[in-house]
Amino acid sequence: MTETFVSHLECSMTGQRYEAGVVQGLSEVGRPLLVRYDLERLGASVDKTSIAASSAPGFWRYAPFLPVTQAENRVSLGEVVTPLIPLANSTARLGAEPGKALVKDEGRLPTGSFKARGLCLAVSMAKELGLDHLAIPTNGNAGAAMAAYARRAGQKGTVLCPADTPDINIREIRQQGMDVWVVNGLINDCGKIVGAGKEAVGWFDVSTLKEPYRVEGKKTMGLELAEQLGWTLPDVIFYPTGGGTGLIGMWKAFHELKEIGWIDGPLPRMVAVQAEGCAPIVKAWEAGEEHAPLWEDAHTVAAGIRVPVAIGDFLIIRAVRESGGFAMALPDDAIMAARDHVAKEDGLLLCPEGAATVEAYRRALAEGLVRPGDRAVLYNCATGLKYPMAAVDQTLDKDAEIDFSRFT
Ligand SMILES: *Cc1c(COP(=O)(O)O)cnc(C)c1O
C-alpha cells in the first residue's frame, strides 16, 4: 500500500462530496468529479526534497499528489519529464525576448502526446478498481494513449473516431490492439455512442472529464512545470484547448501547490487557444458566459482541438478569468505558417495544436496582451511527426553529371 492522500471526490459544479475508491463517472448534475486530497497531511508528509529524490519514471515522481493507492497498479511505459525548450532564432519574428518563451515538448511522452499523462492515470485507476473494458471517443491521440496503456494493463478497449481523424492515429490505435471504429460524425457524436454503450455493453467511459482521473494525470503538467522552474511559475501559459483537461488540471495543480505552501506569488495567466473553425470557448469567454454551446460545423487542421462542446467548459472559462488570462482563436493558415517557421528557424517540429500556441503568443505580443519580457510557456502537445508534411519533389540522377550550383 502506497500512502495516498485522497480524501474524497467532489462535484466541480455543486461541491457535493462523493466517495473515493469506488467506480465513479459524472456527478448527479452531469458534471466532472474532481479528486480532493488531505493537503495538510500531504504537506506534512512530503517535501520538495523527497520529490527531487524520486526515481519513479516521469510524472510518477508526483505519486503523492495522485490517486493510485497500490504501487503495482501504476501502469508505466517509461514516462519522462518533458523538456522546456527556449525558442531562440524564431523569437525576433515573434517579437519576444530570447529565452522568455519556453516550449514544453510533450511529444516526448509514450505514444507521442500529452494524452499519455491522462490515460496513464485513467488506466491505472481502472486497474485498481477492477474495470476491464474501457471505451473512448477520440480525435486520435487520446485513443492511441488509451490503447497503449490499456493493453499494457491487459484491459480491453473500444475506440470511436470521427471520420476525419488523422489516418495515422487510427492505424496506431489498431496496431496497439484496440477495437477501433470510424464514425461519420464529430467527437461529440462518438461520445454519445460511448455513453449508450455503457448500459448496453458495460463499457467504462474514459471520455475527457467523464471519469475523475484523466484530469489528475494532466495535472502533472502543472506540478512538473513548477518543479522544472525551481518551484516558481511562468507569467503566462498558452494552452491549445479542446476538452480543456490540461488547462483545468494545471490550474488545479497550482492551487494544490499554493495550499501546501510550495509556491507563492501570483499564478500564471492561462490562455485558452483554439482554432477559428472550432472556438466555442473563445466565443463564450468573449461573451462573458460560463458555458459554451455546441459549435456547429467544427473544422480545423488541428484535430486535437476540434472539440465542439466541452463538459468542463465552465472550469476552463473560470480558470482563464480568475487568472487574468484570455482566449484566442486562430485561422488554420496562420497556425500552419507558425509550424513552418518554428521548424525551419528553431529545429522544433511542432504539431499544429502546438503551433497554434506559438501563433497566439505572437499575436498576443503584437496586441500588447503579454509583454516581451514575460516568461511564457507554450504547450507542444504532440510530436509533429504524427501530422502530414509537404511532399519533397527534388531528385538527383546518380548517373548524370551533378550540377553542384543547384545546392544552396
Ligand atoms: C487532446 C489534444 C489537445 C487538447 O487537450 P485538452 O486538454 O483535451 O484540451 C491539444 N492538442 C493535441 C495534439 C491533443 O491531442
Side-chain angles (χ1 to χ4, degrees):
M1 186 92 177
T2 332
E3 193 169 16
T4 157
F5 299 96
V6 175
S7 58
H8 63 284
L9 306 179
E10 186 182 283
C11 173
S12 55
M13 184 162 264
T14 65
Q16 192 185 338
R17 288 175 75 102
Y18 289 76
E19 195 185 338
V22 295
V23 178
Q24 301 276 15
L26 292 171
S27 74
E28 265 166 45
V29 297
R31 289 292 171 174
L33 290 176
L34 298 176
V35 183
R36 295 298 177 206
Y37 297 83
D38 181 346
L39 290 172
E40 209 169 306
R41 204 161 58 80
L42 195 165
S45 318
V46 182
D47 59 20
K48 294 175 186 173
T49 329
S50 60
I51 298 283
S54 170
S55 59
F59 52 77
W60 285 113
R61 62 199 285 103
Y62 307 109
F65 292 85
L66 296 172
V68 182
T69 62
Q70 312 282 339
E72 68 266 25
N73 291 331
R74 291 183 198 167
V75 183
S76 177
L77 287 168
E79 296 70 34
V80 294
V81 170
T82 63
L84 276 173
I85 305 166
L87 289 178
N89 306 330
S90 57
T91 50
R93 191 181 50 81
L94 297 173
E97 280 178 22
K100 289 295 180 183
L102 306 170
V103 173
K104 178 88 170 139
D105 190 6
E106 297 279 294
R108 322 264 176 132
L109 284 161
T111 73
S113 88
F114 65 9
K115 291 293 193 301
R117 295 181 187 266
L119 272 307
C120 177
L121 258 292
V123 166
S124 297
M125 287 305 290
K127 185 174 176 195
E128 188 150 295
L129 296 168
L131 299 164
D132 60 4
H133 193 147
L134 312 185
I136 196 170
T138 179
N139 281 323
N141 288 321
M146 192 270 249
Y149 281 100
R151 290 315 299 144
R152 184 76 180 181
Q155 296 160 357
K156 289 195 292 182
T158 304
V159 179
L160 303 188
C161 305
D164 52 0
T165 302
D167 191 47
I168 180 108
N169 290 124
I170 301 174
R171 292 168 187 242
E172 179 188 8
I173 292 163
R174 191 180 52 187
Q175 187 76 35
Q176 291 173 137
M178 287 287 109
D179 194 25
V180 57
W181 298 85
V182 177
V183 177
N184 59 341
L186 289 170
I187 189 164
N188 50 309
D189 300 305
C190 299
K192 277 185 208 146
I193 302 174
V194 168
K198 282 196 292 186
E199 297 293 312
V201 202
W203 292 336
F204 183 68
D205 184 353
V206 291
S207 303
T208 300
L209 291 165
K210 289 191 182 166
E211 56 73 58
Y213 304 114
R214 275 177 67 181
V215 65
E216 290 302 294
K218 281 281 195 91
K219 180 181 88 175
T220 63
M221 288 195 290
L223 303 173
E224 193 172 296
L225 187 59
E227 189 184 12
Q228 275 177 307
L229 296 174
W231 301 107
T232 67
L233 293 173
D235 297 304
V236 58
I237 293 177
F238 287 81
Y239 188 78
T241 307
T245 343
L247 194 149
I248 296 165
M250 279 192 281
W251 196 237
K252 184 172 189 284
F254 299 154
H255 282 91
E256 290 174 0
L257 289 175
K258 200 154 187 173
E259 202 166 321
I260 62 171
W262 289 15
I263 54 169
D264 51 25
L267 298 182
R269 298 168 70 203
M270 306 298 286
V271 181
V273 178
Q274 298 200 301
E276 276 182 0
C278 182
I281 299 296
V282 179
K283 189 173 170 197
W285 180 79
E286 283 172 351
E289 308 284 345
E290 269 214 330
H291 291 284
L294 181 109
W295 185 275
E296 300 290 344
D297 302 321
H299 60 89
T300 165
V301 289
I305 53 176
R306 194 176 54 225
V307 179
V309 60
I311 197 160
D313 51 3
F314 64 109
L315 298 172
I316 304 169
I317 292 169
R318 279 180 198 169
V320 168
R321 196 169 289 141
E322 279 169 28
S323 72
F326 51 93
M328 192 186 274
L330 305 159
D332 278 3
D333 56 354
I335 292 174
M336 295 317 270
R339 182 179 190 231
D340 248 39
H341 280 125
V342 174
K344 286 176 181 149
E345 292 168 24
D346 264 328
L348 270 178
L349 183 56
L350 306 175
C351 61
E353 299 82 355
T357 67
V358 174
E359 177 60 10
Y361 174 59
R362 188 187 71 77
R363 291 184 183 205
L365 284 166
E367 291 169 26
L369 292 167
V370 301
R371 289 180 305 239
D374 285 345
R375 190 159 62 162
V377 169
L378 316 176
Y379 269 89
N380 183 49
C381 20
T383 168
L385 290 173
K386 285 203 206 186
Y387 299 81
M389 285 171 255
V392 173
D393 58 6
Q394 300 197 110
T395 57
L396 282 180
D397 179 356
K398 69 175 176 21
D399 301 318
E401 199 181 330
I402 306 282
D403 171 9
F404 284 94
S405 74
R406 292 169 68 193
F407 302 102
T408 50

